[in-house]
């Protein structure tokens, strides 16, 4: 209705990329060819977002991802790509803060699963531990049974307070089980690769006390999400996920930019004008008593010159003794600290 008053018929058109970077080029070409498309919310996967954003470049078509966390996405000099979710590197910043301030660790052993994700996450963590003057007792890769066994020996020899693991849930579950079986009681912490039901299925009781960071977290952790959750449940007959909350904010961000680019004109803005307007968006955090009027759920939204959210949230979660995830800390990470 708001766009109708401006003289536009606003429609939502959806495309299914099937989480496939292979299918992404054709979808991108189809979208670019439709001149009525002024902006896109998506994609979910970083690999897909990378392909689509490249294809959107010549057309200057605005793209706001609610879920793609790959660090490289905002390092390409793209003026049309932005995201409302924290990047992978923000987890390294938040984890280092938690290790230094909450766990007060004397030393940390850092282990990667030898993947690009694990290597990137652990490198950012160690750089931030160095800033906080927290010693790294050892750094190693572990992805095979032999490497995991060797890692356990080195952890025991180090007497470190914290073992930080950068990697996926399958290797992470093997590692924490091996550590606990060897009598290692150090806090086991990881990134959102551990934010998976299969981690607990594999780790079992060894998962108790494990700490991990995640860029999404439970919806009820957002103070003004109750009204949104009720409306979402009524519309879709299911509870919203963290991704749904960020998609809502990405959509409102894009609509705000289109309105700003249009101004008082009855002529549609250009794609370049919309992309420029996205970077100028400044949506405040919502403190209204009437939550139905809130433009954002996840807090204030504004972007850096690279398309990174100026202030993004990372949640530190901890599995309790009955393996239920509890919010240990909500960390706000400034885009400036990621440079």
């Amino acid at each position: 209705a708001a766009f109708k008053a401006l003289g536009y018929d606003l429609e939502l058109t959806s495309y299914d990329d099937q989480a496939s970077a292979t299918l992404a080029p054709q979808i991108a070409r189809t979208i670019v060819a439709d001149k009525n498309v002024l902006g896109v919310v998506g994609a979910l996967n970083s690999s897909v977002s990378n392909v689509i954003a490249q294809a959107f470049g010549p057309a200057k078509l605005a793209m706001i991802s609610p879920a793609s966390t790959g660090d490289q996405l905002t390092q390409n000099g793209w003026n049309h790509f932005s995201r409302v979710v924290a990047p992978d590197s923000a987890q390294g910043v938040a984890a280092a803060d938690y290790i230094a301030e909450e766990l007060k660790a004397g030393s940390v052993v850092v282990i990667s699963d030898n993947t690009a994700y694990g290597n990137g996450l652990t490198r950012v963590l160690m750089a931030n531990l160095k800033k906080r003057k927290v010693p790294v007792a050892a750094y190693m890769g572990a992805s095979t049974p032999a490497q995991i066994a060797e890692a356990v020996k080195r952890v025991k020899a180090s007497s470190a307070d914290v073992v930080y693991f950068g990697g996926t849930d399958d290797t992470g579950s093997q590692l924490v089980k091996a550590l606990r079986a060897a009598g290692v009681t150090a806090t086991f912490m990881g990134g959102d690769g551990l934010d998976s039901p299969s981690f607990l299925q594999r780790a079992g009781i060894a998962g108790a006390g494990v700490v991990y960071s995640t860029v999404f977290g439970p919806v009820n952790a957002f103070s003004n999400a109750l009204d949104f959750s009720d409306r979402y449940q009524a519309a879709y007959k299911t509870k919203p996920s963290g991704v749904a909350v960020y998609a809502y904010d990405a959509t409102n961000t894009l609509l705000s930019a289109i309105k700003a680019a249009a101004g008082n004109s009855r002529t549609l803005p250009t794609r370049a004008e919309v992309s420029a307007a996205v970077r100028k968006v400044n949506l405040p955090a919502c403190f209204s008593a009437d939550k139905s009027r809130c433009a954002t759920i996840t807090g204030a939204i504004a972007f850096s010159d690279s398309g990174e959210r100026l202030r993004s949230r990372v949640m530190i979660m901890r599995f309790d003794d009955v393996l239920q995830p509890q919010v240990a800390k909500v960390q706000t990470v400034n885009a400036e600290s990621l440079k």
Side-chain angles (χ1 to χ4, degrees), residues 152 156 176-186:
V152 171
K156 287 196 72 171
V176 72
K177 286 177 70 175
L179 287 168
R180 298 302 182 240
V184 176
T185 58

Side-chain angles (χ1 to χ4, degrees), residues 23 32 65-66 72 107 126 128 170 180 197 217 254 284 299 329:
L23 294 177
V32 170
S65 175
Q72 80 287 349
S107 65
M126 289 191 295
N128 281 276
D170 49 352
R180 298 302 182 240
L254 179 58
K329 185 179 182 181

Side-chain angles (χ1 to χ4, degrees), residues 98 103 180 185 187-190 195 199-200 207-214 218 315-329:
Y98 189 80
L103 299 180
R180 298 302 182 240
T185 58
T187 299
F188 188 87
M189 185 174 186
D195 187 9
F199 172 75
L200 287 181
V210 167
V211 180
Y212 64 91
S213 58
T214 178
M315 292 188 188
I316 305 296
M317 308 292 294
R318 181 183 181 276
F319 291 118
D320 62 21
D321 291 341
V322 291
L323 305 180
Q324 294 299 306
Q326 305 293 335
V327 178
K329 185 179 182 181

Side-chain angles (χ1 to χ4, degrees), residues 223-224 283-291 293-297 299-300:
S223 59
N224 56 334
L283 297 179
C286 179
F287 300 105
S288 170
D290 181 2
K291 301 304 181 186
R293 295 183 178 274
C294 292
T296 67
I297 304 296

Side-chain angles (χ1 to χ4, degrees), residues 148-149 152 163 165 169-186 188 194 198-208 210:
I148 289 173
V152 171
V163 175
F165 172 72
D169 62 280
D170 49 352
T171 302
S173 58
Q174 295 174 50
L175 179 59
V176 72
K177 286 177 70 175
L179 287 168
R180 298 302 182 240
V184 176
T185 58
F188 188 87
L194 306 185
S198 59
F199 172 75
L200 287 181
Q201 291 168 6
R202 293 184 174 111
I205 194 61
V210 167

Side-chain angles (χ1 to χ4, degrees), residues 81-151:
F81 176 85
S82 306
R83 60 177 159 205
V84 295
V85 68
D88 289 336
S89 57
Q91 293 186 65
V93 174
D97 282 350
Y98 189 80
I99 289 170
E101 297 171 9
E102 307 299 326
L103 299 180
K104 302 186 185 304
S107 65
V108 183
V109 170
V110 182
I111 303 172
S112 168
D113 68 348
N114 298 316
T115 64
Y117 165 72
N119 292 342
L121 191 57
T122 51
R123 281 196 296 267
V124 173
L125 174 84
M126 289 191 295
N128 281 276
L129 287 176
K130 184 177 181 179
K131 292 178 183 177
R132 291 157 182 76
K133 296 181 170 54
V134 178
V136 173
Y139 177 55
M140 69 202 79
S143 53
T144 67
Q147 290 171 340
I148 289 173
E150 179 62 24

Side-chain angles (χ1 to χ4, degrees), residues 71 84-98 124 128 131-132 213-215 246 298 300 302 304 308-316 329-339:
D71 290 317
V84 295
V85 68
D88 289 336
S89 57
Q91 293 186 65
V93 174
D97 282 350
Y98 189 80
V124 173
N128 281 276
K131 292 178 183 177
R132 291 157 182 76
S213 58
T214 178
V215 296
Y246 278 88
T298 63
S304 69
E308 209 71 83
R309 189 168 177 171
L310 288 182
R311 291 167 59 84
S312 55
R313 291 185 13 155
V314 176
M315 292 188 188
I316 305 296
K329 185 179 182 181
V330 179
Q331 176 88 29
T332 300
V333 178
N334 295 323
E336 188 65 29
S337 69
L338 303 176
K339 295 180 180 179

